[in-house]
Amino acid sequence: MKILFIIPLLVTALVSSAAETVPLTSLDLSKMTQGWGKPQIDRSIREKPLSIGGQKFEHGVGTHANSTLWIDLAGGSERFLASIGVDDNANGPATVTFKIVGDGKKLLETGVMKPGDKARSVDLDLKGLKTLILMVGDGGDGVGFDHANWADARFVVSGAKPKALDRPMLKETAVILTPKPGPAPRINGPRVTGCRPGNPFIFRIPTTGERPIAFTVENLPSSLKLDAANGIITGTAPARGEFTLTLRAKNSHGEATRAFKIVSGDTLALTPPMGWNHWYTHYDRITDQLMREAADVMASSGMADVGYQYVSIDDCWMNAPKNKDPLRVGPLRDAQGNLIPNKHFPDMVAMTEYIHSKGLKAGIYTSPGPLTCAGFAATYQHEEQDAKLFADWGFDFLKYDWCSYGGIAKKETGPELAKFKKPYQQMGDILKRQKRDIVFNLCQYGMGNVWEWGAEVGGHCWRTAGDLGFELDRIFPVALKNAEHRAWSKPGAWNDPDYIQIGRIGNARGMGEPIASPLTPSEQYSFMSLWCLSAAPLFFSGDMGKLDEFTVNVLCNSEVIDVDQDPLGQCARVVPVEEETFVMVKDLEDGSKAVGLFNRSEVETSVTAKWSDLGVKGPQTLRDLWRQKELGRFENEFKASVPRHGVVMVRMTGARP
Ligand code: GLA
């Protein structure tokens, strides 16, 4: 017995004596992500000697919140040692937190550290661990001045050496959470639509269920007619007023009814517009054929059945003074001054008629400047003429993108805000005079707090920031920033955090060919949930030609879309829970609430939504919206385990006490 006891001790001693020290600086730090600058070896982010609470360190890594490094330990490391804290040269109100996670378990969390705090010594047992994540958080107040040091950071290694890994590390399986729509009809999408009296009207009743479906509508104004076989309502918008209809859809499996309102007056986009925009997939490769393909797929994939409606062209449909594609080069305008589409668009009227024939609507793009952002012909000094042309061509939506107008504005005198408003006010007025309902989408990246005046100049939705681009790890901060403007979100006036980029999308950095979205499945669910809770316009901008089943499941959950399309038009309120978790809560028209529990951290985490934070009292009945499943009754809080960068989204309705 004694001998058996001694042998393991000897083995341990042998392993330890063979152990070597591997400094953190020897790992490939280009894989470390951080909020500002690049990781520094043996110096701070400001390229000064590492110093924490007055103590100097010769070695270590200087980084900046928010920072993450994934490390493959392969079970070969015994310990991790370091001295951590805020660098003495941060020169400002820094607040950082350090966190270390091993194989999904929290090994260390510092709480907020500030400039001058003594370095905290770290000595962690890593035996047997496969992966380690070193993280620096911003203390919940933004990343300003958050200079953080992993001083003297080193591994004691007895086997495989630690290696830096690419993110995201977790190979998540793409799980389809939502049951497929059943064979019986369900009417989806908006419950209200706005129109202007006397203008052409088109609305396809979004309905899931096995075809053929027979549609009927009660109280349809006499200027409108319904195609009973496909549920498309067309005609002329009725005289000013509110019309309450009952939509019915019937097949051999059952019948669905829904109350629906047509509000004929001054305001369009009474719910956030939904559709597809070509930009993040096709860039300057867009053609008439691709637009028609998008319309076909919108109708056949189920997207139109849950409310997607606009098929929108972005930049590059005009001619450019110069371009690598000779078919996109030519005269910018004809002898009458009309814009000339490039040779990839032989017949704009035929294209919009094709889109309309499916009960869908068509969107177009230009800039108030002389050229668009991609250098194509734009609208400066042709505003009346272009708006009329777009209306005559049959477009129902205009994205008006600032681009080269910056050069014009610079030459003008007067207050900056007036300069920001001017081109949008001008086009807003012109669009109202067209004999066509054209939803006006302002794209000027949030300048002059556009959310405060976008509706006043005739806009229906406005981008609140620059392009989301391919930096998709920004979906959380972008959505949270956008939600700060929630006070301005209302029917006919929507804050727009940019397009939904899931499925296959182009790499915006080089306007590249479509590739699989870099987002994990959980991040894709979060993307859609954040946008729906924010009452954001829902424009998918991925590849319609290669829609896969998972992407359709994320885009087309009718109950999640009901949250986006709710007639109250409220953008959810954000309630921080912990540093990396938060809840969003949105009031819905029927008195229920939509609630998203979000986890921005690198590991699965439990998130609690407390009634006191949500502004509700008494027992609630909860339904999981992604799984479309009843969860039962909860008394004063709801707690869920939320995947890394993921969401749990519920609808809660007051239950009888
Ligand atoms: C800007 C806009 C994008 C897109 C491009 C087209 O960057 O913000 O959404 O329209 O221009 O060039």
Side-chain angles (χ1 to χ4, degrees), residues 279 314-315 365 373-374 399 401 403 443 445 463 467 498-499:
W279 186 245
D314 206 276
D315 203 343
Y365 167 102
C373 296
K399 173 173 173 180
D401 193 351
C403 304
C443 178
Y445 339 117
R463 280 264 299 282
D467 294 9
D498 210 354
Y499 303 132

Side-chain angles (χ1 to χ4, degrees), residues 23-35 39-41 61-64 66-73 80 99-103 130-137 150 153 155 162-169 602 644:
L24 179 63
T25 51
S26 69
L27 273 61
D28 177 0
L29 296 179
S30 68
K31 299 197 191 287
M32 180 181 254
T33 57
Q34 55 185 48
Q40 300 292 323
I41 293 182
V61 176
T63 182
H64 195 290
N66 292 307
S67 157
T68 306
L69 181 66
W70 284 79
I71 299 166
D72 179 11
L73 299 176
F80 176 70
K99 189 152 123 187
I100 303 181
V101 169
D103 285 356
K130 291 198 178 64
T131 52
L132 193 73
I133 320 171
L134 303 183
M135 282 175 278
V136 179
W150 295 99
F155 297 86
K163 263 198 321 220
L165 287 168
D166 287 316
R167 279 208 317 163
M169 254 315 298
E602 294 300 320
R644 167 189 183 269

Side-chain angles (χ1 to χ4, degrees), residues 12 18 48 138 157 164 222 302 332 389 409 414 452-453 466 522 525 562 615:
T12 314
K48 299 257 167 56
D138 64 9
V157 178
S222 60
L332 306 189
L389 186 66
E452 292 173 7
W453 49 266
S522 291
Y525 283 114
D562 281 345

Side-chain angles (χ1 to χ4, degrees), residues 88-347:
D88 287 332
N89 275 306
N91 284 340
T95 51
V96 304
T97 57
F98 290 82
K99 189 152 123 187
I100 303 181
V101 169
D103 285 356
K105 289 212 182 63
K106 211 186 283 174
L107 305 180
L108 172 121
E109 192 167 24
T110 58
V112 172
M113 295 187 76
K114 296 193 166 145
D117 287 355
K118 290 262 160 280
R120 172 149 172 191
S121 318
V122 178
D123 183 353
L124 297 178
D125 183 356
L126 303 183
K127 279 188 216 89
L129 290 180
K130 291 198 178 64
T131 52
L132 193 73
I133 320 171
L134 303 183
M135 282 175 278
V136 179
D138 64 9
D141 63 353
V143 299
F145 306 101
D146 287 350
H147 303 184
N149 296 336
W150 295 99
D152 254 347
R154 60 205 189 274
F155 297 86
V156 177
V157 178
S158 56
K161 284 200 184 159
K163 263 198 321 220
L165 287 168
D166 287 316
R167 279 208 317 163
M169 254 315 298
L170 301 172
K171 279 265 166 277
E172 255 185 51
T173 321
V175 180
I176 293 181
L177 294 178
T178 309
K180 281 219 164 59
R186 183 189 195 271
I187 301 175
N188 307 301
R191 289 164 190 272
V192 56
T193 193
C195 54
R196 295 204 177 108
N199 282 355
F201 183 99
I202 183 162
F203 182 77
R204 170 184 168 130
I205 304 170
T207 312
T208 45
E210 207 175 277
R211 264 51 182 185
I213 292 178
F215 290 89
T216 48
V217 176
E218 278 166 33
N219 301 331
L220 190 66
S222 60
S223 61
L224 299 176
K225 66 172 196 303
L226 165 77
D227 184 330
N230 58 22
I232 300 175
I233 303 172
T234 51
T236 303
R240 194 169 278 271
E242 272 194 35
F243 302 83
T244 303
L245 328 177
T246 305
L247 311 177
R248 282 186 206 284
K250 194 173 174 183
N251 67 10
S252 56
H253 302 277
E255 186 181 25
T257 56
R258 204 184 228 205
F260 186 75
K261 236 197 291 181
I262 295 177
V263 182
S264 188
D266 303 312
T267 314
L268 307 177
L270 293 178
T271 64
M274 293 176 65
W276 174 82
N277 171 290
H278 95 251
W279 186 245
Y280 284 128
T281 301
H282 300 300
Y283 302 108
D284 57 358
R285 300 181 292 272
I286 188 64
T287 61
D288 169 285
Q289 208 188 331
L290 287 166
M291 294 299 293
R292 287 168 190 253
E293 172 194 78
D296 290 344
V297 174
M298 194 174 282
S300 65
S301 63
M303 286 177 71
D305 298 340
V306 292
Y308 291 89
Q309 192 180 26
Y310 292 94
V311 181
S312 287
I313 189 170
D314 206 276
D315 203 343
C316 309
W317 60 266
M318 325 75 168
N319 275 320
K322 57 176 196 287
N323 191 266
K324 59 181 188 299
D325 175 0
L327 297 182
R328 291 181 204 269
V329 180
L332 306 189
R333 290 180 183 270
D334 67 14
Q336 287 72 47
N338 285 321
L339 268 174
I340 307 177
N342 65 45
K343 295 204 174 62
H344 292 288
F345 292 89
D347 188 340

